[in-house]
Amino acid sequence: EGVRNYQARNFMREMAEGDLVIFYHSNAKPPGAAGVCRISREAYPDDTQFDKKSKYHDPKSKKDDPRWSLVEVAFAEKFSEPFSLQAVKDEPALEGMLVTQKGSRLSVQPVERKHFKRVLKMAGAKTKVR
């Protein structure tokens, strides 16, 4: 809930049930990937946009044409230790990953299949990409 960036929202709207996602802690010290989740419910309207008491309230959003969506995720696997942003930046095989690009720190962003597989391998994950 609470994603209020159009590009991030659009990425969420492209997610399908069963898709894998890397769960990333952006406010951790150091920031990094903590594990893997699976999309358990595809995008649907985020009710906080209509709640006047919510910090995510959007008075311009209409019930018949909501601006904001959310997805539901289910736990798949926790990494034995967080996979840091620095480790991503230091790995040549992960060059070009959006999270490493300056100004591209969206809360939701796509990860190329080759990058996703490499992060899982480097993190020692058991989860496999189909």
Side-chain angles (χ1 to χ4, degrees):
E1 65 184 35
V3 173
R4 296 296 182 264
N5 175 286
Y6 288 105
Q7 189 175 15
R9 177 210 62 192
N10 293 342
F11 289 145
M12 281 195 305
R13 288 180 175 177
E14 293 174 7
M15 294 176 180
E17 189 173 334
D19 284 352
L20 293 174
V21 297
I22 296 171
F23 194 87
Y24 185 83
H25 290 291
S26 57
N27 290 325
K29 301 269 190 253
V36 182
C37 294
R38 192 175 302 281
I39 300 300
S40 59
R41 184 175 177 192
E42 294 180 8
Y44 64 98
D46 179 347
D47 285 336
T48 62
Q49 67 193 306
F50 307 119
D51 181 355
K52 291 180 182 178
K53 294 178 182 174
S54 172
K55 66 180 178 178
Y56 302 120
H57 178 248
D58 183 347
K60 294 182 181 177
S61 188
K62 308 294 179 223
K63 288 237 183 207
D64 60 344
D65 187 23
R67 287 183 180 198
W68 307 110
S69 301
L70 57 86
V71 295
E72 290 184 13
V73 298
F75 174 82
E77 178 180 1
K78 180 180 177 181
F79 296 155
S80 57
E81 41 184 90
F83 189 75
S84 73
L85 177 59
Q86 191 59 52
V88 171
K89 289 179 178 182
D90 291 345
E91 173 57 42
L94 297 176
E95 185 177 347
M97 244 181 118
L98 287 179
V99 73
T100 66
Q101 297 176 14
K102 197 170 187 142
S104 184
R105 296 282 164 73
L106 290 174
S107 57
V108 178
Q109 56 186 247
V111 176
E112 290 182 41
R113 181 181 199 80
K114 65 181 181 179
H115 292 150
F116 202 107
K117 289 173 106 173
R118 184 66 181 153
V119 167
L120 293 184
K121 184 175 183 177
M122 292 179 70
K126 294 177 182 78
T127 303
K128 301 293 180 205
V129 177
R130 302 181 223 151

